Amino acid sequence: MKALVVGGGAREHCIAEALAKDGAEIFCAMKNRNPGLARLSKDVLYASETDVAKVVEYAKSKSVEIAIIGPEAPLEEGLVDELAKAEIPSVGPTKSCARLETSKSFTRSLLDKYHIPGNPRHSVFRAPDGLREFIREFGEYVVKDEGLCGGKGVRLSGEHLATVDDGVRYAEECIGKSGAVVVEEKLIGEEFSIQCLCDGRTVAGSPLAQDHKRAYEGDTGPNTGGMGSYSDANHLLPFLDNDDYGEALDITQKVCDAIRQECGEPYKGVMYGGFIATAEGVRLIENNARYADPEVMNVLPLLESSALELFSAVVDGKLREGMGSYARKATVCKYVVPRGYGTKSEAGVPITVDETAIQA
């Protein structure tokens, strides 16, 4: 099968490796050259992943039969919708369904409307009126930019925001930038990720993973897109049990059902939930509409069954609960990043990696 992988990061490299094991003929669209991903690909289009017309034309010219969308930005631009017009199915939701990630207020409102458990107390502001009073009422709070920020748009009181004034200023900045801001209660507990595949009706889970976003040791410093992650051999995590896993999976299934009703179309792709285990139970921090980066690197390499079969089941609406067999192994992923990562990365500085030395 001819498969198009959209994106050029470590996540997409991981997806391509899984497809290569199944003998797929891989094509890739990426803006920056990823040498490992390029080696796995029969052909590469070097272009912005959000240049929808160019990516679709490339996919048509290569007679691509399935597309796997790596990053979130092309989803927001409607790449899946345009590929569908060209009769190319995608592992990735339409622009409307992708609001699960591209609009934080959409997700919170969806959980409220369909009475889905796991929602923290929150409010959405599109103007500064009432912001200060709401933040002061919480004491401990979280401010989230409404739009896509690459994992860097969330700030927490007591860590990034020292005073109420700091919270108000950042919230106003978010409103000015994205048109809205979400202010939530600050949840206390251990975070974890569950990356599910979804065909619009059925959700299939995978091993859990936990990532660490803070730039520095000891969970200090600014949030980043991710500094590293790990998973455990029993597919849970040391602080979770099967009931916690089931609770997170049940919330994901309810979100799948709700978004189908809300958008009038099936959500087909990865539905990745960032959860937190609190003293009061599992709560949903956020939903994302694609594989997690870096947590995908803890999960896909463990897949013992066919990735191509899984992805085909997603687009064909034939996914089954529990579909996918994963090895019972623990994994660790650690990032090497440029100085300034998380705030302002140093650009143009060569990074040399001895790939042979790190082969498993």
Side-chain angles (χ1 to χ4, degrees):
M1 182 178 281
K2 293 184 175 182
L4 173 67
V5 176
V6 178
R11 168 181 46 214
E12 291 76 33
H13 189 172
C14 190
I15 292 168
E17 282 189 333
L19 289 169
K21 290 178 185 176
D22 294 333
E25 195 173 351
I26 300 166
F27 297 85
C28 185
M30 55 178 162
K31 61 183 176 184
N32 296 317
R33 185 174 184 275
N34 177 326
L37 183 49
R39 284 196 297 269
L40 289 168
S41 303
K42 181 174 181 179
D43 189 72
V44 178
L45 169 69
Y46 291 104
S48 171
E49 296 96 344
T50 57
D51 190 337
V52 172
K54 189 173 285 187
V55 174
V56 172
E57 188 55 41
Y58 176 73
K60 288 163 60 179
S61 73
K62 299 301 177 182
S63 302
V64 164
E65 298 164 86
I66 189 171
I68 299 91
I69 316 301
E72 59 272 28
L75 300 174
E76 186 176 40
E77 295 299 319
L79 176 59
V80 169
D81 308 66
E82 295 306 312
L83 284 168
K85 291 176 185 176
E87 299 185 343
I88 299 171
S90 298
V91 179
T94 61
K95 182 175 183 175
S96 179
C97 289
R99 287 180 292 165
L100 195 64
E101 174 167 8
T102 61
S103 170
K104 291 182 178 63
S105 62
F106 174 83
T107 301
R108 290 298 180 222
S109 299
L110 188 79
L111 267 68
D112 277 346
K113 181 176 178 179
Y114 292 90
H115 309 291
I116 300 171
N119 228 8
R121 291 181 297 137
H122 66 279
S123 188
V124 179
F125 293 89
R126 301 185 188 281
D129 301 344
L131 252 175
R132 183 177 297 277
E133 292 75 17
F134 190 75
I135 288 175
R136 188 175 283 133
E137 177 188 330
F138 267 139
E140 294 289 311
Y141 61 92
V142 181
V143 180
K144 296 183 175 182
D145 194 297
E146 158 75 350
L148 295 177
C149 299
K152 306 172 186 70
V154 178
R155 296 188 188 176
L156 288 69
S157 66
E159 298 178 46
H160 310 107
L161 306 168
T163 66
V164 170
D165 284 344
D166 289 343
V168 171
R169 274 194 295 271
Y170 181 59
E172 289 176 340
E173 181 185 319
C174 294
I175 293 170
K177 173 177 165 286
S178 302
V181 68
V182 180
V183 181
E184 302 176 355
E185 65 175 314
K186 185 179 178 181
L187 299 169
I188 305 301
E190 286 283 350
E191 296 184 25
F192 65 97
S193 302
I194 179 168
Q195 300 170 82
C196 297
L197 286 170
C198 179
D199 70 355
R201 292 189 179 275
T202 302
V203 166
S206 66
L208 303 181
Q210 185 184 50
D211 79 321
H212 294 266
K213 290 184 176 298
R214 295 306 186 83
Y216 311 131
E217 297 292 337
D219 278 337
T220 59
N223 274 347
T224 69
M227 292 298 293
S229 52
Y230 77 98
S231 70
D232 212 343
N234 65 357
H235 296 176
L236 299 172
L237 290 166
F239 53 89
L240 298 173
D241 58 27
N242 284 314
D243 288 342
D244 298 317
Y245 185 99
E247 202 173 339
L249 199 61
D250 183 61
I251 290 171
T252 305
Q253 181 65 60
K254 285 180 167 64
V255 171
C256 166
D257 296 336
I259 202 166
R260 185 179 65 252
Q261 294 181 60
E262 186 69 15
C263 298
E265 58 186 355
Y267 182 109
K268 295 190 174 189
V270 180
M271 190 178 288
Y272 141 44
F275 290 92
I276 184 168
T278 75
E280 291 76 38
V282 170
R283 298 288 183 269
L284 180 68
I285 297 174
E286 63 179 0
N287 269 128
N288 293 290
R290 35 73 194 180
Y291 274 121
D293 192 349
E295 297 100 300
V296 69
M297 288 173 270
N298 300 99
V299 171
L300 270 188
L302 297 179
L303 185 65
E304 295 179 323
S305 52
S306 166
L308 198 52
E309 182 183 356
L310 276 174
F311 294 153
S312 296
V314 167
V315 300
D316 294 337
K318 296 181 178 179
L319 203 63
R320 303 184 306 276
E321 288 183 19
M323 194 172 178
S325 174
Y326 297 87
R328 293 274 174 171
K329 295 180 179 179
T331 65
V332 175
C333 171
K334 188 172 179 66
Y335 268 27
V336 176
V337 300
R339 292 183 185 278
Y341 180 64
T343 50
K344 188 177 182 181
S345 297
E346 288 184 5
V349 179
I351 297 176
T352 302
V353 178
D354 185 346
E355 294 185 52
T356 305
I358 59 174
Q359 288 297 317

